[in-house]
PDB file of all heavy atoms in Angstrom:
ATOM      1  N   TYR A 206    -113.395  86.554 166.716  1.00 84.00           N
ATOM      2  CA  TYR A 206    -113.713  87.336 167.880  1.00 84.00           C
ATOM      3  C   TYR A 206    -114.946  86.496 168.655  1.00 84.00           C
ATOM      4  O   TYR A 206    -115.847  86.057 167.926  1.00 84.00           O
ATOM      5  CB  TYR A 206    -114.238  88.618 167.424  1.00 84.00           C
ATOM      6  CG  TYR A 206    -114.547  89.589 168.635  1.00 84.00           C
ATOM      7  CD1 TYR A 206    -113.462  89.869 169.502  1.00 84.00           C
ATOM      8  CD2 TYR A 206    -115.835  89.913 169.073  1.00 84.00           C
ATOM      9  CE1 TYR A 206    -113.669  90.856 170.494  1.00 84.00           C
ATOM     10  CE2 TYR A 206    -116.028  90.724 170.205  1.00 84.00           C
ATOM     11  CZ  TYR A 206    -115.075  91.101 170.905  1.00 84.00           C
ATOM     12  OH  TYR A 206    -115.247  91.823 172.051  1.00 84.00           O
ATOM     13  N   PRO A 207    -114.722  86.285 169.941  1.00 84.00           N
ATOM     14  CA  PRO A 207    -115.800  85.492 170.562  1.00 84.00           C
ATOM     15  C   PRO A 207    -117.143  86.239 170.785  1.00 84.00           C
ATOM     16  O   PRO A 207    -118.052  85.531 171.111  1.00 84.00           O
ATOM     17  CB  PRO A 207    -115.147  85.304 172.018  1.00 84.00           C
ATOM     18  CG  PRO A 207    -114.193  86.520 172.181  1.00 84.00           C
ATOM     19  CD  PRO A 207    -113.687  86.935 170.759  1.00 84.00           C
ATOM     20  N   GLY A 208    -117.181  87.499 170.283  1.00 82.00           N
ATOM     21  CA  GLY A 208    -118.482  88.102 170.376  1.00 82.00           C
ATOM     22  C   GLY A 208    -118.736  88.781 171.739  1.00 82.00           C
ATOM     23  O   GLY A 208    -118.152  88.515 172.700  1.00 82.00           O
ATOM     24  N   GLY A 209    -119.596  89.778 171.756  1.00 81.00           N
ATOM     25  CA  GLY A 209    -119.941  90.455 172.968  1.00 81.00           C
ATOM     26  C   GLY A 209    -118.944  91.576 173.267  1.00 81.00           C
ATOM     27  O   GLY A 209    -118.077  91.830 172.542  1.00 81.00           O
ATOM     28  N   ARG A 210    -119.166  92.227 174.362  1.00 82.00           N
ATOM     29  CA  ARG A 210    -118.256  93.342 174.781  1.00 82.00           C
ATOM     30  C   ARG A 210    -116.960  92.706 175.419  1.00 82.00           C
ATOM     31  O   ARG A 210    -117.101  91.853 176.116  1.00 82.00           O
ATOM     32  CB  ARG A 210    -118.952  94.166 175.847  1.00 82.00           C
ATOM     33  CG  ARG A 210    -120.154  94.872 175.274  1.00 82.00           C
ATOM     34  CD  ARG A 210    -120.923  95.637 176.295  1.00 82.00           C
ATOM     35  NE  ARG A 210    -120.372  96.794 176.627  1.00 82.00           N
ATOM     36  CZ  ARG A 210    -120.786  97.831 177.216  1.00 82.00           C
ATOM     37  NH1 ARG A 210    -122.037  97.659 177.784  1.00 82.00           N
ATOM     38  NH2 ARG A 210    -120.192  98.938 177.501  1.00 82.00           N
ATOM     39  N   ALA A 211    -115.798  93.338 174.954  1.00 77.00           N
ATOM     40  CA  ALA A 211    -114.580  92.867 175.441  1.00 77.00           C
ATOM     41  C   ALA A 211    -114.444  92.783 176.920  1.00 77.00           C
ATOM     42  O   ALA A 211    -113.860  91.990 177.532  1.00 77.00           O
ATOM     43  CB  ALA A 211    -113.491  93.768 174.850  1.00 77.00           C
ATOM     44  N   THR A 212    -115.139  93.726 177.652  1.00 83.00           N
ATOM     45  CA  THR A 212    -115.135  93.769 179.130  1.00 83.00           C
ATOM     46  C   THR A 212    -115.953  92.730 179.839  1.00 83.00           C
ATOM     47  O   THR A 212    -115.921  92.459 180.907  1.00 83.00           O
ATOM     48  CB  THR A 212    -115.559  95.236 179.676  1.00 83.00           C
ATOM     49  OG1 THR A 212    -116.932  95.426 179.053  1.00 83.00           O
ATOM     50  CG2 THR A 212    -114.627  96.301 179.267  1.00 83.00           C
ATOM     51  N   GLU A 213    -116.778  91.930 178.941  1.00 87.00           N
ATOM     52  CA  GLU A 213    -117.669  90.998 179.428  1.00 87.00           C
ATOM     53  C   GLU A 213    -117.408  89.479 178.889  1.00 87.00           C
ATOM     54  O   GLU A 213    -118.071  88.627 179.343  1.00 87.00           O
ATOM     55  CB  GLU A 213    -119.097  91.386 179.226  1.00 87.00           C
ATOM     56  CG  GLU A 213    -119.543  92.703 180.001  1.00 87.00           C
ATOM     57  CD  GLU A 213    -120.860  93.138 179.436  1.00 87.00           C
ATOM     58  OE1 GLU A 213    -121.438  92.554 178.522  1.00 87.00           O
ATOM     59  OE2 GLU A 213    -121.229  94.184 179.862  1.00 87.00           O
ATOM     60  N   VAL A 214    -116.424  89.384 178.039  1.00 86.00           N
ATOM     61  CA  VAL A 214    -116.094  88.125 177.452  1.00 86.00           C
ATOM     62  C   VAL A 214    -115.445  87.157 178.531  1.00 86.00           C
ATOM     63  O   VAL A 214    -114.595  87.643 179.255  1.00 86.00           O
ATOM     64  CB  VAL A 214    -115.286  88.261 176.243  1.00 86.00           C
ATOM     65  CG1 VAL A 214    -114.810  86.945 175.689  1.00 86.00           C
ATOM     66  CG2 VAL A 214    -116.089  88.961 175.144  1.00 86.00           C
ATOM     67  N   ASP A 215    -115.993  85.961 178.542  1.00 89.00           N
ATOM     68  CA  ASP A 215    -115.204  84.994 179.390  1.00 89.00           C
ATOM     69  C   ASP A 215    -113.934  84.616 178.892  1.00 89.00           C
ATOM     70  O   ASP A 215    -113.796  84.487 177.597  1.00 89.00           O
ATOM     71  CB  ASP A 215    -116.080  83.703 179.382  1.00 89.00           C
ATOM     72  CG  ASP A 215    -115.625  82.639 180.240  1.00 89.00           C
ATOM     73  OD1 ASP A 215    -115.800  82.540 181.472  1.00 89.00           O
ATOM     74  OD2 ASP A 215    -114.925  81.741 179.578  1.00 89.00           O
ATOM     75  N   LEU A 216    -112.848  84.616 179.723  1.00 90.00           N
ATOM     76  CA  LEU A 216    -111.610  84.275 179.193  1.00 90.00           C
ATOM     77  C   LEU A 216    -111.480  82.910 178.514  1.00 90.00           C
ATOM     78  O   LEU A 216    -110.577  82.894 177.524  1.00 90.00           O
ATOM     79  CB  LEU A 216    -110.565  84.356 180.440  1.00 90.00           C
ATOM     80  CG  LEU A 216    -110.409  85.841 180.828  1.00 90.00           C
ATOM     81  CD1 LEU A 216    -109.317  85.911 181.955  1.00 90.00           C
ATOM     82  CD2 LEU A 216    -109.980  86.770 179.629  1.00 90.00           C
ATOM     83  N   ASP A 217    -112.204  81.905 178.853  1.00 91.00           N
ATOM     84  CA  ASP A 217    -112.134  80.652 178.116  1.00 91.00           C
ATOM     85  C   ASP A 217    -112.673  80.894 176.694  1.00 91.00           C
ATOM     86  O   ASP A 217    -112.067  80.250 175.881  1.00 91.00           O
ATOM     87  CB  ASP A 217    -112.914  79.609 178.894  1.00 91.00           C
ATOM     88  CG  ASP A 217    -112.293  79.196 180.215  1.00 91.00           C
ATOM     89  OD1 ASP A 217    -111.078  79.248 180.383  1.00 91.00           O
ATOM     90  OD2 ASP A 217    -113.033  78.676 181.136  1.00 91.00           O
TER      91      ASP A 217
END
Side-chain angles (χ1 to χ4, degrees):
Y206 184 70
R210 297 173 77 166
T212 56
E213 298 169 0
V214 172
D215 178 84
L216 290 181
D217 289 335

